[in-house]
Amino acid sequence: QSVLTQPPSVSGAPGQRVTISCTGSSSNIGAGYDVHWYQQLPGTAPKLLISGNTNRPSGVPDRFSGSKSGTSASLAITGLQAEDEADYYCQSYDSSLSGYVFGTGTKVAVL
Amino acid sequence: QVQLVQSGAEVKEPGASVKLSCKASGFSFTTDFMHWVRQAPGQGLEWMGLINPNDGNTMYAQKLQGRVTMTRDTSTSTFYMELSTLRSEDTAVYYCARRLCRSTGCVYGGDAFDIWGQGTMVIVSS
């Protein structure tokens, strides 16, 4: 079981804004470790979406944004599009486990 | 271009070992740590460990300590991950993924994974 908890699913109509939460603890997000986000389309490798809590790699649309506060982080998708249907994972480091950890994953559905 | 190309699918019996490869190209082999991540069918992502290509130092997930070994061959720019004493629960797609540091430099525990291999399916079944 992961130490980073995400909602199993979120959904929204095209054009709407959705957010995905990533809840950790004092040994990971709350300890100040960076949070990163990945998008995984079916049958493909994950793709880095947000690094270092808020940074978008080149080529990632500005519809995607990240934030972090306390022991949690969030990914927001504005102007939801059909192509955004995918699984999304947060990732950080946990000092108690002495290793990197992923969130439980969230499936985004576009209605 | 920058890419990681992984070896092909494997089918192994319980108790056996499997050794996967990940060949890097398009970037400096010795610059960045390489991580391994796996994903069981229909499940989430699980971090397995990392290797420093400069000196071969490794760090493994506690859960896999004693069963996983990560190595590299600098002459061929190839990383390897060997998992022993395979169980059915090890059935998964295995990915290698390159470390990405902050723009200000690398910090302990701060790695993101910016380049991923295409994945290798490993099936453990009798």
Side-chain angles (χ1 to χ4, degrees):
Chain A
Q1 57 279 29
S2 176
V3 298
L4 302 180
T5 302
Q6 300 178 230
S9 64
V10 299
S11 62
Q16 283 191 330
R17 179 179 187 269
V18 296
T19 61
I20 301 170
S21 59
C22 174
T23 303
S25 67
S26 58
S27 62
N28 42 69
I29 298 174
Y33 293 107
D34 284 347
V35 177
H36 319 288
W37 291 90
Y38 302 85
Q39 177 193 60
Q40 187 177 32
L41 298 170
T44 69
K47 169 190 171 184
L48 180 63
L49 211 55
I50 298 289
S51 69
N53 308 311
T54 61
N55 303 304
R56 278 188 313 277
S58 173
V60 174
D62 59 7
R63 302 185 293 104
F64 295 92
S65 63
S67 63
K68 174 187 165 184
S69 178
T71 58
S72 296
S74 291
L75 174 72
I77 310 174
T78 57
L80 195 63
Q81 298 182 4
E83 67 211 48
D84 298 333
E85 280 206 340
D87 293 325
Y88 293 81
Y89 294 90
C90 59
Q91 175 248 314
S92 186
Y93 180 86
D94 189 279
S95 57
S96 295
L97 296 173
S98 297
Y100 289 86
V101 290
F102 286 94
T104 49
T106 299
K107 183 175 294 291
V108 169
V110 181
L111 304 174
Chain B
Q1 75 272 31
V2 175
Q3 63 177 355
L4 299 170
V5 178
Q6 298 186 232
S7 48
E10 302 266 7
V11 179
K12 295 290 183 180
E13 292 193 347
S17 296
V18 68
K19 188 172 185 177
L20 310 181
S21 69
C22 168
K23 183 171 175 59
S25 62
F27 62 96
S28 174
F29 178 78
T30 55
T31 300
D32 294 302
F33 292 0
M34 191 62 64
H35 294 256
W36 288 84
V37 175
R38 70 179 180 178
Q39 185 172 36
Q43 302 301 308
L45 302 168
E46 179 185 13
W47 180 78
M48 300 180 67
L50 65 84
I51 181 168
N52 181 340
N54 274 308
D55 55 19
N57 282 346
T58 55
M59 186 168 113
Y60 302 135
Q62 291 177 358
K63 173 182 175 181
L64 297 172
Q65 289 273 5
R67 288 208 300 140
V68 66
T69 304
M70 295 177 187
T71 56
R72 90 286 189 223
D73 183 340
T74 56
S75 68
T76 61
S77 299
T78 303
F79 295 90
Y80 298 93
M81 189 286 296
E82 183 170 20
L83 189 61
S84 63
T85 319
L86 290 169
R87 312 158 183 159
S88 58
E89 310 89 87
D90 295 318
T91 293
V93 176
Y94 289 75
Y95 296 101
C96 55
R98 188 184 74 168
R99 171 182 78 171
L100 172 69
C101 297
R102 290 176 175 177
S103 58
T104 52
C106 299
V107 297
Y108 185 81
D111 293 3
F113 314 132
D114 68 337
I115 305 296
W116 293 67
Q118 83 277 19
T120 296
M121 182 73 214
V122 175
I123 296 173
V124 181
S125 174
S126 55

